[in-house]
Amino acid sequence: MSSTQNVMRSILKNPNSMVSTYHAKQLHAQIVKTKGSFDSDNACILSLYSNLKLLDESLVLFRSLHSHSHSHSHSSPPPPLAWISIIKCYTSHGLFHHSLSSFNDMRAFGIYPDRHVFPSVLKASTLLNDLRFGLSLHGCIIRLGLDFDLYTGNALMNMYSKFHGLAEISHNYVSANKMLDGFSQREETMATVKIDSVRKVFDLMPIRDVVSWNTVIAGNAQNGMYGEALTMVKEMGNANLKPDSFTLSSILPIFAEHVDIIKGKEIHGYAIRHGLDVDVFIGSSLIDMYAKCTRVEHSICAFYLLPKRDAISWNSIIAGCVQNGKFDRGLSFFRQMLKEKVKPMHVSFSSVIPACAHLTALNLGKQLHGYIIRLGFDDNKFIASSLVDMYAKCGNIKMARYVFDRIEMRDMVSWTAIIMGCAMHGHALDAVSLFEKMLVDGVEPCYVAFMAVLTACSHAGLVDEGWKYFNSMKWDFGIAPGLEHCAAVADLLGRAGRLEEAYDFISNMGIQPTGSVWSTLLAACRAHKNVELAEKVVDKILLVDPENMGAYVLMSNIYSAARRWNDAAKLRIHMRKKGLKKTPACSWIEVGNKVHTFLAGDKSHPYYDKINKALYILLEQMEKEGYVLDTSEVLHDVDEEHKRDLLSTHSERLAIAFGIISTTAGTTIRVIKNIRVCVDCHTAIKFIAKIVGREIVVRDNSRFHHFKNGTCSCGDYW
């Protein structure tokens, strides 16, 4: 035998040594040229092609072997190596049905599979979610005595872990669904015993490697069996096997889930000592763990220490910042990711869009929407739901509805987002109609969906409808009403003037009412000028929440409106003694991608003189149109001129005036305010919107107000 033939024979005996497609084809050509092609040689070449994932070449060669076996009645079928190779090649290319079909064909020829073929067919049945075939494969493995093989055992555990850790599989189930012949009664019983869980397969393996341990650890962690997962990590160390990056990234989410920063740091220390902290998967898990434990600065440190950052690590830090209220920081990381030419994943947008919603950064949200469309992510229902929520919270309910109407597969999240959006924008009938349509579409409402529809009923005074949905929660859907639902019903009754009914409802609702629930009724007492009930309610609030600043302010408002100045003054003195300070009224407006902030009476803005002049001109025009100052909610006993000055410099008026002088005619003005819009400002803004011919959208701490042509979307019911 020549030296060339010796080299060829050596390569054919060890197909894994070939790493070049070109050299594999050269070898194939050389074999054909020097000595013709025999089935054994072709099977070895097929193995080379399969290892190199050359599907077309593998199929041509395998079919030639297959046709050759059929053309001679006494010829043997393709050799086992050929079958193993084509099955592996099918699996590696995602052609799982072909893989399983070829396995059945091989068995039909009477060829017994060996340890090299089962990992591929087990993977195929797993990815097809075909439990029946998987069970029959396990039975075959047991019958052939291959259940003690390390790689086959690992593949079996992986299969069962992907089927979410099976509980005991009954004898009848295996018997009814077996797809291979030759099972004896004893073998069926053995199969039932050995495939009832990942752990049983693991326990019966005589040899285990790191992959074996990782599979069972990850399976336990993913199925919420955290104690078992951590115990297995210790046992793994006792077996003289070191946890690797996969092990650590499997258990770090446990500490994130339990907000156990101490144990999380211990794992971080282990990763550093063993040089695993630079692994991108470990880094992403650490970022997520620290963020879930509210240690965002630790997350940021872990992120910056990564030598290489992929889209997953970028998404982890963005999500971590947003989830912890660091919205500006999250947006900053997103911009930085784009600068570094890292293509965002769809989950990146699901993380960053809520930041725009919280910051009411509509312009940035629109830019992100355009980017999403260019990347082709606009049909992703999770992103679409985030966009619906963002547009609604940024004051553009029309765009929110536009996005919602184009979602093909609507889930509970998207339905809830649009229902709550309509409720907050005063489109109560639309919200109720959408809720009913959701039910017709077969989507079962959740806890939050009922909050949304009850909020809609509350904001529109739909008392009968509100009671219907509140009762439906428990009796039709088995959802126990929470404090939020009770607060919405109390608010619904209070707004409708049914104050005593609201008081009785809160007193007997079966849940210990919090200060915030009572506060909804206190606000209604102010609106309906019921001082006597307000005093009873404020006592209830301060009993459960003595530091409730809002209760003192509301009660002070009520006393002032009733011109009980001494009582209002006593409350303010009491507040000062307790060290309580009223939250200053503040409004924001976004102009030219920059957010401008205004406090009540604030003169610090560089455009203040122009703003003041614009307000003076507007006031003259408003009075000509019939505007009359309403000083009923001014807290201080001062003269009318002073009251006029106090009202005219409320933060939302300053923001609106700035918006008018800073944007082109016809531009919608959107303002956010941290507390409730007062009655006089509400009236004034209706006049301003009519005079300047613009839509003015104001979001206060309870809802959106759309002012247009002298009216407000709330119907003066807020």
Side-chain angles (χ1 to χ4, degrees), residues 236-371:
M236 180 182 181
N238 295 335
N240 295 320
L241 288 172
K242 290 183 179 180
D244 62 6
S245 59
F246 187 88
T247 319
L248 300 189
S249 59
S250 296
I251 61 172
L252 276 169
I254 297 174
F255 307 127
E257 185 73 22
H258 287 279
V259 195
D260 192 338
I261 189 69
I262 303 299
K263 286 194 172 70
K265 283 185 173 181
E266 289 176 6
I267 297 299
H268 193 178
Y270 178 92
I272 292 171
R273 290 193 299 275
H274 292 83
L276 298 174
D277 57 317
V278 296
D279 181 276
V280 71
F281 296 107
I282 294 291
S284 297
S285 297
L286 285 168
I287 292 165
D288 183 63
M289 184 272 295
Y290 282 125
K292 294 275 177 60
C293 294
T294 68
R295 304 294 179 89
V296 187
E297 294 307 317
H298 287 43
S299 291
I300 293 170
C301 288
F303 175 78
Y304 280 128
L305 287 171
L306 283 174
K308 288 187 69 177
R309 302 165 194 134
D310 62 359
I312 295 173
S313 52
W314 278 102
N315 184 67
S316 296
I317 193 62
I318 293 166
C321 288
V322 173
Q323 289 161 9
N324 283 277
K326 307 287 186 182
F327 306 118
D328 284 319
R329 200 74 187 268
L331 289 171
S332 175
F333 275 118
F334 185 81
R335 292 188 185 101
Q336 192 178 337
M337 178 180 72
L338 297 182
K339 284 181 182 176
E340 296 194 15
K341 308 297 182 186
V342 178
K343 187 177 180 181
M345 304 161 62
H346 61 85
V347 288
S348 304
F349 290 104
S350 297
S351 297
V352 78
I353 292 170
C356 296
H358 283 282
L359 294 171
T360 60
L362 181 60
N363 290 335
L364 180 58
K366 286 179 179 178
Q367 291 170 21
L368 287 174
H369 192 182
Y371 193 24

Side-chain angles (χ1 to χ4, degrees), residues 487-530:
V489 172
D491 189 42
L492 169 67
L493 295 170
R495 286 173 186 269
R498 294 157 68 162
L499 302 179
E500 293 294 342
E501 189 178 343
Y503 185 88
D504 291 339
F505 171 77
I506 297 172
S507 300
N508 302 293
M509 64 187 190
I511 308 173
Q512 182 64 38
T514 60
S516 61
V517 176
W518 283 113
S519 291
T520 62
L521 180 54
L522 187 60
C525 289
R526 180 182 66 171
H528 294 283
K529 298 179 172 54
N530 190 325

Side-chain angles (χ1 to χ4, degrees), residues 198-219:
V198 176
R199 184 60 190 260
K200 283 193 175 180
V201 175
F202 178 82
D203 288 341
L204 289 167
M205 290 174 67
I207 301 173
R208 303 161 188 149
D209 62 4
V210 173
V211 174
S212 315
W213 287 92
N214 281 346
T215 303
V216 74
I217 289 167

Side-chain angles (χ1 to χ4, degrees), residues 626-675:
Y627 166 70
V628 178
L629 195 73
D630 183 348
T631 60
S632 62
E633 291 191 9
V634 176
L635 300 184
H636 305 287
D637 185 13
V638 295
D639 60 55
E640 290 299 307
E641 188 64 30
H642 192 185
K643 289 180 181 180
R644 179 190 180 100
D645 292 340
L646 288 171
L647 288 170
S648 65
T649 57
H650 275 191
S651 62
E652 62 267 51
R653 296 202 202 189
L654 297 174
I656 290 168
F658 175 70
I660 291 170
I661 65 176
S662 304
T663 58
T664 56
T667 304
T668 299
I669 295 170
R670 291 183 170 85
V671 172
I672 312 298
K673 188 177 182 183
N674 64 333
I675 61 174

Side-chain angles (χ1 to χ4, degrees), residues 379-392:
D379 60 349
N380 181 289
K381 66 179 181 181
F382 302 108
I383 292 177
S385 296
S386 295
L387 285 170
V388 171
D389 183 63
M390 182 274 294
Y391 277 120

